[in-house]
Amino acid sequence: MAALLEMGQNLLWAGYETAKATPLPILLALLITTIASTLAFIYAAIYVLAPTPRPPFPSEKLYITTHPDGSTTSPKPLPCWHDEWLAHRKEAEKIGDFSDKHTGTIEEAELEMSVVIPAFNEEERLEIMLEEAVAFLDAEYGRRRKGKGKQNGSAHKAGEGVKGGYEILIVNDGSKDKTVDVALEFSRKNKLHDVLRVCTLKENRGKGGAVTHGFRHVRGEYAIFADADGASKFEDLAKLVKGCKEVADEPNRGIAVGSRAHLVGSEAVVKRSAVRNALMHSFHLLLRLLTPPATSRVRDTQCGFKLFSRASLPHIIPYMHTEGWIFDVEMLMLAESAPLITATGEKENVGTGAGIQVAEVPIGWKEVGGSKLNVLWDSLGMAWGLAILRASWMVGVYRRR
């Protein structure tokens, strides 16, 4: 050990003597070159590590449902507002006009509520969740829309436009069990012909990838994603809609996230293992340190019950990169970085974080068995993903207009 210390001291002394004998201009040039090389290396490393989602396979843009006689339909094309958005984006790049007319446009809503359920091997839990969801959705929205929304879905304020109707889009994330069979059987029993649709991803993409894919195909004035485990109390969707309307801006952009923060001292959380609670608090600390101001103020970013107005989707979904558990945070960061849009549709203060407002709404929640979360490894993965996400934003790997 002493020999190693002495060797280190000798190296430092030799370096100091060499620097002393080197002309100042050469030293400055070496310093600048070293800093530039280091920054270039860091940028390249982040660029390589930053997730890049793959494009969808043709089969992933299809869905199946049930006929009134109970048989299963052949695959049908999913409506896709995102394709129209991409066309506007290409036009914007061609003419150099990135106004909301070209990058905030979305097709009009066909019904009031879209429910996206990411499902990976959920044959045991899916039916229970669907029973609760459909009971509420039937009572709240009915299965047929009662009116028609205005063009673009963002040309009216909350409470106007489409009235009634809902859809459930189950995104089968490469399941190996009978998730699809369970969903279709539930559709048959409850006569949900073309209300419940099943889209299957050819390869597992992760929860974030499944939610993003589903949100590209929603037809509702509002869209929510809900976990297939049924841990969230589905009737609390009414609270989320109310919260979303309260924070919506003039073009009706708004988000409401279900929150379990009020349950931190409850029996359900106290009964968790000490390791799980310690990891939870550590992750929340990382969020406060690594996310921008508005996102860091959200007390529960990971609850799988989040509602988006249709007008907010073009400012979030096309820019998503993260497909793992940390995708919720990227959604909130994108919402925060969205431009302020005036009543005339003009963008202002781009990049100042004017953003889309988020309402955090307390909801009912319960622990459900069969969680696919590996507490230790997934927590480490989420921390790593958060660090890469934040670094990517800071160095400009992810760019948006």
Side-chain angles (χ1 to χ4, degrees):
M1 179 63 74
L4 289 174
L5 288 173
E6 185 177 353
M7 184 183 298
Q9 290 174 351
N10 289 337
L11 287 172
L12 287 173
W13 181 254
Y16 172 74
E17 290 295 326
T18 302
K20 227 169 111 177
T22 304
L24 184 59
I26 295 177
L27 275 179
L28 288 174
L30 285 172
L31 179 62
I32 292 171
T33 302
T34 302
I35 292 173
S37 300
T38 302
L39 291 175
F41 174 79
I42 292 173
Y43 182 87
I46 292 174
Y47 190 87
V48 170
L49 293 171
T52 302
R54 64 168 175 81
F57 293 108
S59 65
E60 296 175 342
K61 303 190 76 171
L62 305 173
Y63 76 94
I64 56 175
T65 184
T66 52
H67 286 301
D69 63 5
S71 61
T72 302
T73 66
S74 57
K76 302 179 179 182
L78 272 172
C80 185
W81 65 263
H82 186 254
D83 287 345
E84 185 71 15
W85 184 93
L86 289 174
H88 283 286
R89 179 71 177 191
K90 289 179 181 178
E91 180 185 357
E93 291 173 349
K94 184 177 180 180
I95 65 177
D97 176 10
F98 289 93
S99 66
D100 187 58
K101 174 183 177 183
H102 293 98
T103 58
T105 302
I106 185 170
E107 296 171 353
E108 64 177 316
E110 297 179 24
L111 35 81
E112 193 163 358
M113 183 60 63
S114 293
V115 180
V116 173
I117 304 174
F120 175 64
N121 293 340
E122 291 289 356
E123 65 176 3
E124 295 182 1
R125 305 190 296 183
L126 182 60
E127 184 173 4
I128 297 173
M129 181 270 176
L130 286 174
E131 286 175 349
E132 182 183 353
V134 168
F136 172 80
L137 293 166
D138 277 346
E140 187 75 6
Y141 301 108
R143 298 187 184 182
R144 293 188 179 185
R145 61 192 180 100
K146 302 171 185 175
K148 187 175 181 181
K150 298 180 182 179
Q151 181 64 35
N152 192 26
S154 60
H156 52 83
K157 294 182 180 181
E160 299 177 358
V162 172
K163 297 293 183 182
Y166 72 90
E167 66 175 341
I168 298 174
L169 179 57
I170 297 175
V171 183
N172 171 33
D173 194 17
S175 298
K176 304 299 183 184
D177 65 357
K178 296 181 180 179
T179 293
V180 173
D181 295 334
V182 169
L184 293 175
E185 181 58 29
F186 183 85
S187 178
R188 292 186 190 99
K189 287 194 303 184
N190 293 273
K191 298 180 173 57
L192 290 166
H193 164 58
D194 220 38
V195 173
L196 186 149
R197 301 178 170 190
V198 180
C199 166
T200 295
L201 301 183
K202 188 175 180 180
E203 297 174 358
N204 179 271
R205 301 191 68 166
K207 182 180 175 182
V211 169
T212 299
H213 183 80
F215 268 25
R216 289 176 176 177
H217 301 278
V218 293
R219 297 176 291 152
E221 185 66 21
Y222 293 93
I224 186 169
F225 71 82
D227 287 345
D229 60 7
S232 302
K233 189 177 180 182
F234 204 89
E235 66 183 37
D236 284 340
L237 172 57
K239 297 180 183 177
L240 266 63
V241 172
K242 180 181 177 183
C244 185
K245 290 181 177 180
E246 288 174 350
V247 300
D249 58 14
E250 188 66 28
N252 195 29
R253 302 179 309 166
I255 298 171
V257 300
S259 176
R260 303 159 296 182
H262 63 295
L263 298 172
V264 168
S266 68
E267 185 179 2
V269 175
V270 170
K271 282 185 175 181
R272 286 178 174 175
S273 68
V275 173
R276 185 166 181 176
N277 281 323
L279 289 171
M280 176 185 71
H281 291 299
S282 299
F283 179 69
H284 288 167
L285 176 61
L286 279 176
L287 282 173
R288 287 194 292 271
L289 294 174
L290 296 178
T291 56
T295 303
S296 67
R297 288 195 293 271
V298 177
R299 297 174 64 197
D300 184 3
T301 62
Q302 300 309 115
C303 180
F305 204 54
K306 292 183 174 65
L307 178 81
F308 298 75
S309 70
R310 187 172 185 81
S312 69
L313 297 180
H315 300 279
I316 298 171
I317 299 305
Y319 304 101
M320 288 291 295
H321 290 81
T322 309
E323 300 197 318
W325 291 95
I326 204 68
F327 81 98
D328 309 67
V329 177
E330 185 178 16
M331 281 183 152
L332 296 174
M333 290 171 67
L334 284 166
E336 182 174 355
S337 65
L340 172 67
I341 299 179
T342 66
T344 60
E346 296 296 323
K347 287 185 178 181
E348 291 185 358
N349 302 327
V350 176
T352 63
I356 298 169
Q357 299 300 306
V358 177
E360 188 168 10
V361 181
I363 62 168
W365 177 82
K366 60 183 180 293
E367 283 277 7
V368 177
S371 172
K372 298 175 179 62
L373 185 69
N374 182 304
V375 177
L376 179 59
W377 288 110
D378 285 333
S379 295
L380 291 174
M382 290 169 77
W384 171 250
L386 178 60
I388 292 297
L389 178 61
R390 182 56 174 168
S392 301
W393 276 62
M394 290 177 67
V395 302
V397 170
Y398 296 158
R399 296 190 181 277
R400 63 175 292 167
R401 286 183 184 269

